[in-house]
Short mmCIF file of all heavy atoms in Angstrom, two decimals:
data_model
loop_
_atom_site.label_atom_id
_atom_site.label_comp_id
_atom_site.label_asym_id
_atom_site.label_seq_id
_atom_site.Cartn_x
_atom_site.Cartn_y
_atom_site.Cartn_z
N THR L 5 111.22 119.60 124.14
CA THR L 5 110.06 119.94 123.30
C THR L 5 110.50 120.78 122.12
O THR L 5 110.03 120.55 121.03
CB THR L 5 109.00 120.68 124.12
OG1 THR L 5 108.70 119.94 125.29
CG2 THR L 5 107.82 120.97 123.35
N TYR L 19 92.95 120.06 101.46
CA TYR L 19 92.99 119.79 102.87
C TYR L 19 94.44 119.86 103.41
O TYR L 19 94.67 120.41 104.49
CB TYR L 19 92.39 118.50 103.27
CG TYR L 19 90.94 118.33 102.96
CD1 TYR L 19 90.38 117.90 101.74
CD2 TYR L 19 90.02 118.82 103.97
CE1 TYR L 19 89.02 117.91 101.59
CE2 TYR L 19 88.62 118.69 103.81
CZ TYR L 19 88.19 118.25 102.53
OH TYR L 19 86.78 118.26 102.32
N LEU L 24 99.04 122.44 106.11
CA LEU L 24 100.40 123.02 105.93
C LEU L 24 100.44 124.44 106.52
O LEU L 24 101.47 124.85 107.19
CB LEU L 24 100.88 123.04 104.49
CG LEU L 24 101.62 121.92 104.01
CD1 LEU L 24 101.72 121.93 102.39
CD2 LEU L 24 103.00 121.77 104.61
N TYR L 26 98.61 125.84 108.74
CA TYR L 26 98.53 125.80 110.19
C TYR L 26 99.78 125.25 110.85
O TYR L 26 100.34 125.83 111.76
CB TYR L 26 97.35 124.88 110.69
CG TYR L 26 96.08 125.62 110.92
CD1 TYR L 26 95.32 125.98 109.89
CD2 TYR L 26 95.71 126.01 112.21
CE1 TYR L 26 94.05 126.60 110.15
CE2 TYR L 26 94.56 126.68 112.42
CZ TYR L 26 93.75 127.03 111.35
OH TYR L 26 92.52 127.77 111.58
N ALA L 27 100.35 124.21 110.18
CA ALA L 27 101.59 123.61 110.80
C ALA L 27 102.78 124.58 110.60
O ALA L 27 103.65 124.64 111.55
CB ALA L 27 101.83 122.26 109.97
N THR L 29 102.66 127.84 110.73
CA THR L 29 102.48 128.86 111.72
C THR L 29 102.88 128.34 113.14
O THR L 29 103.49 129.00 113.91
CB THR L 29 101.04 129.46 111.66
OG1 THR L 29 100.80 130.03 110.43
CG2 THR L 29 100.88 130.46 112.82
N ARG L 33 105.85 129.56 115.64
CA ARG L 33 105.51 130.05 117.04
C ARG L 33 106.14 129.18 118.12
O ARG L 33 106.48 129.75 119.15
CB ARG L 33 104.01 130.06 117.25
CG ARG L 33 103.31 131.15 116.46
CD ARG L 33 101.85 131.22 116.66
NE ARG L 33 101.30 132.26 115.85
CZ ARG L 33 99.96 132.43 115.66
NH1 ARG L 33 99.11 131.60 116.36
NH2 ARG L 33 99.49 133.39 114.95
N VAL L 40 107.37 117.90 106.69
CA VAL L 40 106.35 117.53 105.84
C VAL L 40 106.48 116.13 105.37
O VAL L 40 107.60 115.79 104.88
CB VAL L 40 106.29 118.49 104.59
CG1 VAL L 40 105.19 118.03 103.64
CG2 VAL L 40 106.18 119.90 104.98
N THR L 63 110.03 103.19 91.59
CA THR L 63 110.05 103.70 92.94
C THR L 63 110.53 105.10 92.93
O THR L 63 109.84 105.98 93.53
CB THR L 63 111.00 102.90 93.88
OG1 THR L 63 110.54 101.55 93.93
CG2 THR L 63 111.21 103.47 95.22
N ARG L 65 110.09 107.20 90.35
CA ARG L 65 109.03 107.93 89.78
C ARG L 65 107.89 108.24 90.81
O ARG L 65 107.33 109.24 90.76
CB ARG L 65 108.41 107.18 88.62
CG ARG L 65 109.23 107.25 87.36
CD ARG L 65 108.46 106.48 86.25
NE ARG L 65 108.99 106.95 84.97
CZ ARG L 65 108.62 106.40 83.89
NH1 ARG L 65 107.75 105.45 83.77
NH2 ARG L 65 109.11 106.88 82.72
N ALA L 69 106.75 111.89 91.90
CA ALA L 69 105.34 112.35 91.94
C ALA L 69 104.89 112.78 93.23
O ALA L 69 104.19 113.94 93.30
CB ALA L 69 104.48 111.27 91.46
N GLY L 84 103.60 133.32 99.59
CA GLY L 84 104.74 134.17 99.66
C GLY L 84 106.01 133.42 100.15
O GLY L 84 106.52 132.54 99.34
N GLU L 85 106.36 133.62 101.31
CA GLU L 85 107.55 133.02 101.89
C GLU L 85 107.19 131.72 102.59
O GLU L 85 106.21 131.60 103.35
CB GLU L 85 108.20 133.94 102.91
CG GLU L 85 108.80 135.19 102.29
CD GLU L 85 109.54 136.01 103.36
OE1 GLU L 85 110.03 135.41 104.28
OE2 GLU L 85 109.52 137.25 103.14
N ILE L 90 112.23 123.79 107.16
CA ILE L 90 111.32 122.82 106.67
C ILE L 90 111.99 121.69 106.01
O ILE L 90 113.07 121.94 105.33
CB ILE L 90 110.34 123.56 105.65
CG1 ILE L 90 109.21 122.54 105.21
CG2 ILE L 90 111.05 124.14 104.43
CD1 ILE L 90 108.07 123.25 104.47
N VAL L 92 111.24 117.97 103.85
CA VAL L 92 110.17 117.22 103.09
C VAL L 92 110.70 115.77 102.97
O VAL L 92 111.86 115.53 102.58
CB VAL L 92 109.96 117.79 101.71
CG1 VAL L 92 108.97 116.90 100.95
CG2 VAL L 92 109.36 119.18 101.79
N PRO L 98 101.30 102.74 104.47
CA PRO L 98 100.00 103.29 104.60
C PRO L 98 100.14 104.55 105.35
O PRO L 98 100.77 104.64 106.46
CB PRO L 98 99.16 102.24 105.47
CG PRO L 98 100.10 100.95 105.30
CD PRO L 98 101.44 101.37 105.09
N GLU L 105 103.33 106.33 113.56
CA GLU L 105 104.70 106.00 113.93
C GLU L 105 105.56 107.19 114.08
O GLU L 105 106.27 107.33 115.10
CB GLU L 105 105.32 104.99 112.89
CG GLU L 105 104.76 103.67 113.00
CD GLU L 105 105.26 102.72 111.88
OE1 GLU L 105 106.05 103.20 111.01
OE2 GLU L 105 104.90 101.55 111.90
N ALA L 134 92.53 107.63 112.46
CA ALA L 134 93.63 106.87 112.97
C ALA L 134 94.62 107.72 113.69
O ALA L 134 95.05 107.38 114.83
CB ALA L 134 94.27 106.01 111.88
N LEU L 145 93.55 118.56 113.69
CA LEU L 145 92.82 118.14 112.44
C LEU L 145 92.38 119.47 111.86
O LEU L 145 91.61 120.23 112.43
CB LEU L 145 91.64 117.27 112.75
CG LEU L 145 91.94 116.00 113.47
CD1 LEU L 145 90.74 115.21 113.76
CD2 LEU L 145 93.02 115.16 112.68
N GLN L 148 89.32 121.90 105.18
CA GLN L 148 89.70 122.72 104.06
C GLN L 148 89.18 124.16 104.21
O GLN L 148 89.89 125.09 103.71
CB GLN L 148 88.99 122.17 102.79
CG GLN L 148 89.39 122.88 101.45
CD GLN L 148 88.75 122.23 100.27
OE1 GLN L 148 88.01 121.30 100.41
NE2 GLN L 148 89.09 122.81 99.14
#
Side-chain angles (χ1 to χ4, degrees):
T5 303
Y19 291 92
L24 268 169
Y26 268 82
T29 300
R33 289 182 181 170
V40 179
T63 299
R65 282 183 160 173
E85 293 183 31
I90 186 168
V92 175
E105 286 173 358
L145 303 177
Q148 184 178 5

